[in-house]
Amino acid sequence: VAETDGLDSTVTDIVALVDGCVVTRLDEAAEAPRADPAYPAAMGRALAVLGAYINKVQGERTGHLRPAVALSAGTYLKLDAATRTNLGLVEGSDGGKRGSLLGVIDRAVTPMAKRLTRRWLSGPMADAEAIGERLDAVEFFLEEVERRSGLRGELKSVGDLERLIGRLGAGTATPRDLVGMSRALEAVERVAGLLSEVECPAAIDADLNSLDGLTPLRETIDAALVEEPPAHARAGGLIRPGYDENVDRLREVSSSGKTWIARVEAEERERTGIGSLKIGFNKVFGYYIEVSKANQGRVPADYDRKQTLANAERYITPALKQKEGEVLGAEERLLVLEADLFAELIEEASKHHRELAATATALARLDALAGFAEAAHSRGYVRPEIHVDGPLDIRDGRHPVVEAALGASFVPNDCVLGLDDKTIMVITGPNMAGKSTYLRQVALISVMAHCGCYVPAASARVPLMDRVFTRIGASDNLVAGKSTFMVEMSETADILANMTSRSLVVLDEIGRGTSTFDGISIAWAVAEAMVEARVKTLFATHYHELTGLAAEHECAANACVAVKRYKGEIAFLYRVTPGVASGSFGIDVARLAGLPQAVIDRARAMLESFTSSDRGAPDHPSAQMSLFMAGAEPQGPSGPEAKLQVEVIEELSGLVPEEMTPLEALETLSRLVKRVPNKR
């Protein structure tokens, strides 16, 4: 498997993501399995195929590609596609950066650092030492405010050095690319000077050691190219005066020739007395003298007619034709010479590709780290504590994206998993109360910590994880023939198959896509699997029966999202507290959503009917039907009693109260009561 930065002229990196493979160059990939017996043969063949494909696409211009680097899968936090989408790591709901975690914490000033930040969020680390080194670097930039500001100011002039180097190696660099490279290298020296005056963490020191301003190359480019060159070498005018004597000579010939032509035009006007006479040029006839039809009688005899127009005649002279040859010949030779000199510059710069690539990588890292520090400073993030084994303990955690939208009105919450052997938290509460936000913020804080980024919390102790799973939201996959419930079950099955005791699992309303009893049963069984595997789990549900897990398993705990009712209205407090929700408040939320009042009234009547029936569980705080009490519930009426009940209901349904007098209504009620046996 390989990851590239695009198989085109911008290719800059090829990274092999295979556990256990050795570092190799692409052109050595085919021989690697024989050269090193420990090298996986399949990996060698894969790199060989990839190298052949790139050679076919790029021709022989692959010198700018970096060696393939082996990455052990165990050094990265694994995130599946569903988790990346559910958490909105690099893309929001509209598919863009807006509304994503990347959109909140990416403060880099160079395009190459923005790409690096995206890669960091897509592939968080799972190595405590590496995470600590990155956090040390972020802390350094956070404390060194002036140096961070100065660094970011200098980096703005660097631009996309990584892309420039890619075009250099691919043979598509333009004069403007080389000038941009020179300006970037000039900024490198200032960046190095800015950070060399103070003791830096190991990660920053490593980047500083990789910086190379390549002063001789930069001076050569500055001496050769004008400050504002044309977009393409074939346009000419890119070599600076004084760099090459042949260029200067040909440029003088071309310039003096044009001056001579201007002088000839003035002399011919005076000689012929034709004030409108002018000398022009086109690619077909070259230089010509144009005289209007009204002045044809004044044309000298030595003029040779070349072209007739509607209102003018065009002429040439032997002297004009001779000078034309000199001028045009000089211009053509000048264009060829400038193109050759530019090609020599490209070749010279290409010799330093490794140093340039290392410098670009170091600058991108410094920019991304400073960007993390800038985000932490502006948003009040704190450094997380990473430990190999222990509880997940987040105090006053906040959802970074929602907080960015709401500001100070966001309500923070704690989350503790793994303390006192409590590994699973069952969360109940109504919709719109903040359950999904809470689930996502815990997962996002964990991912941010593994990225070496500061986190939105008062404090955070995060254990080293191997995977983060999320099962949030409802969607189908019609192309694959999967219903919403099937997609949900498939994702849940993947979680159960791959989770470990070092994983974090976030589940939201498992089992809701089928009947109530089936859904509760599946949700209970999945929760028990989490309990048995000792996986740190947040389990949000509307099935209040699942709160019974805490009574049966010591590692389970209940939490709810606080809601208050005041004067018939409900208020969401967005606070996650220990305990069980007092109700689902679904009808209240439906009313807030704008359902008609008649529908709301009917729903309340039906709810009252369900909760007051013999099938209910009046001692349960939610007053909902319980799956696990179903076996002990009394059966409904049967035999003659059931027949009588049906008859009474049918008679009642046929009555029209508005058309009955009070006396008729009383008599009907008395008759129906007498038919029902007295069971008191």
Side-chain angles (χ1 to χ4, degrees):
V1 181
E3 178 184 2
T4 71
D5 202 14
L7 291 177
D8 51 23
S9 61
T10 63
V11 173
T12 58
D13 201 7
I14 298 234
V15 182
L17 301 172
V18 176
D19 194 1
C21 109
V22 298
V23 177
T24 179
R25 289 191 59 81
L26 280 174
D27 52 11
E28 299 170 352
E31 301 299 326
R34 290 188 289 273
D36 183 358
Y39 190 93
M43 187 58 219
R45 288 194 295 272
L47 282 178
V49 171
L50 179 60
Y53 174 74
I54 294 175
N55 282 329
K56 183 176 181 179
V57 174
Q58 296 293 114
E60 297 302 321
R61 299 172 299 182
T62 58
H64 58 296
L65 297 182
R66 304 175 190 174
V69 179
L71 303 177
S72 174
T75 61
Y76 290 88
L77 183 68
K78 297 178 182 178
L79 303 171
D80 57 29
T83 297
R84 297 172 192 270
T85 301
N86 291 334
L87 297 183
L89 294 181
V90 297
E91 292 183 352
S93 57
D94 61 353
K97 184 178 176 181
R98 181 182 176 85
S100 68
L101 177 62
L102 178 65
V104 172
I105 68 172
D106 176 20
R107 297 297 184 88
V109 297
T110 63
M112 55 188 180
K114 290 183 178 296
R115 292 192 296 271
L116 179 60
T117 302
R118 184 186 183 96
R119 291 198 293 270
W120 281 356
L121 290 184
S122 299
M125 298 176 290
D127 180 271
E129 184 178 354
I131 295 173
E133 289 181 356
R134 191 177 292 176
L135 287 171
D136 289 342
V138 176
E139 183 176 7
F140 169 82
F141 282 124
L142 186 62
E143 295 177 351
E144 295 285 344
V145 179
E146 292 185 1
R147 295 186 190 280
R148 182 178 80 241
S149 177
L151 172 69
R152 288 164 60 80
E154 294 294 348
L155 288 173
K156 289 179 180 178
S157 62
V158 170
D160 200 344
L161 181 59
E162 194 174 57
R163 288 284 194 238
L164 295 182
I165 297 169
R167 289 196 285 270
L168 175 67
T172 59
T174 67
R176 291 178 183 177
D177 289 335
L178 283 191
V179 170
M181 186 182 301
S182 174
R183 292 171 181 170
L185 292 175
E186 184 179 358
V188 166
E189 297 183 356
R190 296 194 297 269
V191 168
L194 189 66
L195 296 176
S196 62
E197 302 171 356
V198 64
E199 185 177 352
C200 299
I204 296 178
D205 271 338
D207 291 330
L208 288 177
N209 292 333
S210 298
L211 293 179
D212 190 342
L214 294 172
T215 302
L217 175 62
R218 178 173 57 82
E219 291 177 348
T220 299
I221 294 174
D222 290 345
L225 300 180
V226 297
E227 188 172 346
E228 297 293 337
H232 303 285
R234 61 179 179 272
L238 63 146
I239 300 299
R240 190 184 292 271
Y243 179 73
D244 184 90
E245 61 180 15
N246 291 325
V247 169
D248 293 341
R249 180 179 57 80
L250 291 173
R251 193 171 285 162
E252 175 63 25
V253 170
S254 176
S255 176
S256 63
K258 293 178 181 178
T259 302
W260 179 86
I261 289 172
R263 186 176 69 250
V264 168
E265 182 180 78
E267 291 174 351
E268 290 298 310
R269 285 180 180 177
E270 183 177 357
R271 180 167 76 97
T272 62
I274 303 174
S276 62
L277 180 149
K278 63 181 180 180
I279 296 180
F281 175 84
N282 64 36
K283 293 182 179 180
V284 177
F285 299 108
Y287 286 101
Y288 56 83
I289 300 173
E290 184 174 295
V291 179
S292 64
K293 288 287 181 69
N295 294 295
Q296 290 301 306
R298 300 181 182 182
V299 174
D302 59 341
Y303 278 24
D304 183 13
R305 181 182 285 107
K306 193 67 177 178
Q307 184 182 17
T308 300
L309 303 178
N311 299 314
E313 296 283 347
R314 289 177 175 175
Y315 303 88
I316 59 172
T317 65
L320 186 63
K321 204 64 182 174
Q322 179 182 356
K323 201 64 178 180
E324 174 190 309
E326 295 177 3
V327 172
L328 295 183
E331 289 181 349
E332 291 175 0
R333 292 195 300 274
L334 179 60
L335 287 175
V336 172
L337 181 56
E338 285 193 299
D340 290 342
L341 291 174
F342 179 71
E344 292 177 4
L345 282 177
I346 291 291
E347 184 178 356
E348 178 63 25
S350 298
K351 296 177 183 178
H352 302 279
H353 185 271
R354 286 186 178 275
E355 297 93 325
L356 288 168
T359 296
T361 299
L363 290 175
R365 285 177 55 84
L366 290 172
D367 188 8
L369 292 169
F372 275 2
E374 187 73 17
H377 173 76
S378 63
R379 300 195 178 279
Y381 293 172
V382 300
R383 174 171 179 159
E385 177 186 342
I386 304 294
H387 52 96
V388 176
D389 191 19
L392 173 63
D393 189 348
I394 301 172
R395 304 294 173 171
D396 287 339
R398 312 184 301 274
H399 192 297
V401 181
V402 178
E403 182 192 31
L406 297 182
S409 63
F410 187 88
V411 179
N413 278 294
D414 299 341
C415 178
V416 180
L417 287 174
L419 190 65
D420 298 331
D421 292 330
K422 300 292 185 182
T423 58
I424 180 169
M425 182 189 300
V426 178
I427 307 169
T428 52
N431 290 309
M432 297 296 295
K435 294 195 305 299
S436 294
T437 298
Y438 178 74
L439 298 179
R440 286 183 171 93
Q441 81 182 35
V442 172
L444 283 172
I445 289 173
S446 300
V447 170
M448 291 173 69
H450 282 75
C451 289
C453 178
Y454 276 36
V455 300
S459 66
R461 296 184 67 237
V462 180
L464 202 62
M465 301 172 182
D466 59 355
R467 297 193 69 156
V468 173
F469 296 97
T470 63
R471 165 84 278 286
I472 300 174
S475 62
D476 54 28
N477 189 342
L478 299 180
V479 175
K482 293 183 178 181
S483 65
T484 300
F485 181 68
M486 188 62 179
V487 170
E488 178 184 319
M489 290 298 99
S490 297
E491 293 180 1
T492 304
D494 180 67
I495 294 173
L496 294 174
N498 294 286
M499 67 184 183
T500 71
S501 59
R502 291 182 53 215
S503 303
L504 173 65
V505 177
V506 173
L507 302 174
D508 191 10
E509 300 184 36
I510 290 293
R512 62 183 168 182
T514 184
S515 68
T516 301
F517 287 164
D518 283 353
I520 294 174
S521 302
I522 292 172
W524 185 283
V526 169
E528 283 192 332
M530 304 293 172
V531 168
E532 183 177 351
R534 312 292 291 182
V535 182
K536 293 180 178 64
T537 307
L538 295 176
F539 200 122
T541 183
H542 284 292
Y543 297 138
H544 286 232
E545 288 76 11
L546 294 185
T547 60
L549 280 168
E552 297 188 15
H553 301 281
E554 292 183 355
C555 63
N558 289 322
C560 65
V561 185
V563 177
K564 294 294 184 182
R565 187 181 293 278
Y566 179 72
K567 294 184 178 180
E569 301 289 336
I570 60 170
F572 300 125
L573 304 183
Y574 305 109
R575 295 291 299 180
V576 177
T577 60
V580 180
S582 60
S584 65
F585 299 95
I587 296 178
D588 296 280
V589 175
R591 184 181 61 79
L592 292 175
L595 262 64
Q597 188 59 43
V599 175
I600 297 299
D601 292 342
R602 178 59 176 163
R604 292 193 188 281
M606 295 301 299
L607 177 63
E608 179 66 23
S609 172
F610 290 145
T611 56
S612 63
S613 68
D614 291 338
R615 297 177 299 169
D619 58 332
H620 194 283
S622 68
Q624 291 189 5
M625 294 182 292
S626 173
L627 168 68
F628 306 103
M629 297 176 62
E633 292 175 357
Q635 300 296 318
S638 60
E641 193 172 327
K643 181 181 179 182
L644 176 60
Q645 186 180 64
V646 171
E647 292 175 351
V648 171
I649 291 175
E650 288 180 351
E651 185 172 350
L652 284 171
S653 64
L655 297 177
V656 183
E658 295 82 0
E659 298 178 359
M660 299 175 68
T661 65
L663 183 58
E664 290 174 340
L666 185 59
E667 289 176 348
T668 302
L669 178 61
S670 176
R671 184 178 70 255
L672 292 175
V673 169
K674 290 178 180 179
R675 295 188 60 185
V676 178
N678 189 352
K679 292 187 176 183
R680 288 182 297 177

